Structure formats: C-alpha cells, structure tokens
Amino acid sequence: MLEKELESFSVPDPIPARNWEEYLISIWDSLKIRSRRFKESQVRSVELKFYPYRNGNHSISFHNGILSAKFHTSLMGAREEIIFSFISLLISKLLGLKPKQAWKEEVAEFLNSIPESGSANFKKLKENGVTYDLKVILEEISSSYFSKMDAKLLSIGWADRLGKRRLGSYEKRNMNIRISPILDHKEVPLYVLEHVVHHEILHHILPSRVKNGHNSIHSPEFKRKEKEYVRYREAINWLKMEYPKFLIKHQKEIGLRLRSEFYG
C-alpha cells in the first residue's frame, strides 16, 4: 500500500548546486517542439515541491505558463543522469510523446532503490552457507548484469525455511533476497544459484504491475532480461531434469537440514 501523500511537507531548498528550474525548463523546451498541443507554450515560472512519500504521484503539470513538479526527496541526491531521465520521462508523458526505454529503465531502478518505511526492522539472515556465499554471488551478478544498480541497497541471505519448490524470494519492503538453503549443496551447480539470484534481482528492478486487472509478475520485459544471464538455459534444464533426482538422492540430508539451526 502506498503511503499517504503529505501535502503540507515540502523542502524549499533542495541542493543549491543544482538549478532545478533550469533542468525543468531546458528539458521542457527540448521536448515540446515535438508536441502539437504544447509546441508554442512558454514557461513563465516553475513550482517545485519534494515529498517524503515513497511511490506516490511523482508528477509534472503545466497550466497558464506554470510548470509544476512534485518529486520524492531522494531525487535531491540522485545522479545527474537519473534526474535527467526522471524529468524527461514525466515531461514526455505530459506532452503525449513516447518516452525512451532507457529513461523508463533508469527511473524504475531509481524508484525501487528507495526503502519503504519500517525497512529497518527485519531479521538479518546468514549470507555464508555450507557451500556457497550468497554475498559473493550477489556482487558478481550485480556487477556483471546490473552495473547501474547500487548493489549495497540490497541484502541477501539463506532463508530460515528449507523451501523445496520456492527457491528464492524478494521482499520489497526491506529490499531483501532470500534463497532456500536447499540449494546450498556441493551437487547444486553454481550457475543455478546465479540464475536464482539474477531472477530475484529482476524482481527488485522490475516490480509487478497491475495490467488489465491482473497482477503481472513476470512481464515480457522481465522474461527477456531473465534470459540475459549467460547460463540461463543450463540452469533451467538442471532444475527441470536434475533437481527432482537431487531431492530424492538427498532426502535424508534435507530432512536433517529442516531441523538444523544453522540458517536460522
């Protein structure tokens, strides 16, 4: 659930070194020439407010020469390219233009990097298991496939329950990835762990959306990016063909792990 927007709260002076008015007007002028409705519109003044809500109605509107914008407070400390993409995306939508895919991806990554309220209250899980160190895997996958993402914002750990079917999960509130300790075994290939971690990072970057009344968890874009992992096909084949055999072979050991406190 989205937090209630605090209309009375604003930060009048964001970052002095950044001229937000100049950003907005410059991007407006560069994009409006492609719009029939706003092509001749001139900006007389800019109204800018920052709010502490996480995923509210970030917006830009134009009326009677006034360009009004509302942003999350975290945008004040964002990189220049993030600010450019954020403003460009909102203005292009206002002008009825098709936004660039790169802007959408930049903004999606940025919005999902903003922690939700209460995110500090969660159990810290073990990263280092019997066979695999999840922190190392997270860092490797992040640097190889998600270089624009700040991996330090994500936490990862072995779940305290030994899921046989649900091998990984992503908790948006705490930006935490949990991996079933059933995969922490020398007979489970590293590329299987990497595939699962890669999949869960995508849930962080591409959250579920409501489309046509249905919750779209694995969108076409999600599925396309999932296949970017270099050993995706191998991992899928192992999980389909070898994983059932693995469960039967190590049934006794798995039972002991269920009662183990190592991952708890």
Side-chain angles (χ1 to χ4, degrees), residues 95-106:
L95 297 176
L97 305 175
K98 183 178 180 180
K100 293 182 179 180
Q101 183 63 28
W103 297 344
K104 294 164 70 175
E105 292 179 1
E106 288 268 12

Side-chain angles (χ1 to χ4, degrees), residues 1-2 13 29 35 38 46 57 66 80 96 104 128 132-133 140 150 184 206 210 227 251 253 259:
M1 179 178 289
L2 302 178
D13 301 308
D29 287 341
S35 171
F38 295 97
V46 172
N57 296 318
I66 302 175
E80 297 290 329
K104 294 164 70 175
N128 193 14
Y132 292 111
D133 188 327
E140 176 63 30
D150 186 356
D184 186 26
L206 300 170
V210 176
K227 293 176 182 178
Q251 185 173 6
E253 181 182 348
R259 294 186 291 274

Side-chain angles (χ1 to χ4, degrees), residues 159 161-171 178-183 196 200 203 243:
R161 292 187 179 182
L162 199 65
K164 295 181 182 180
R165 298 187 63 182
R166 191 176 187 183
L167 301 179
S169 64
Y170 170 67
E171 186 179 5
R178 293 170 177 247
I179 304 298
S180 172
I182 204 167
L183 297 179
V196 175
E200 297 308 329
H203 279 301
Y243 182 59

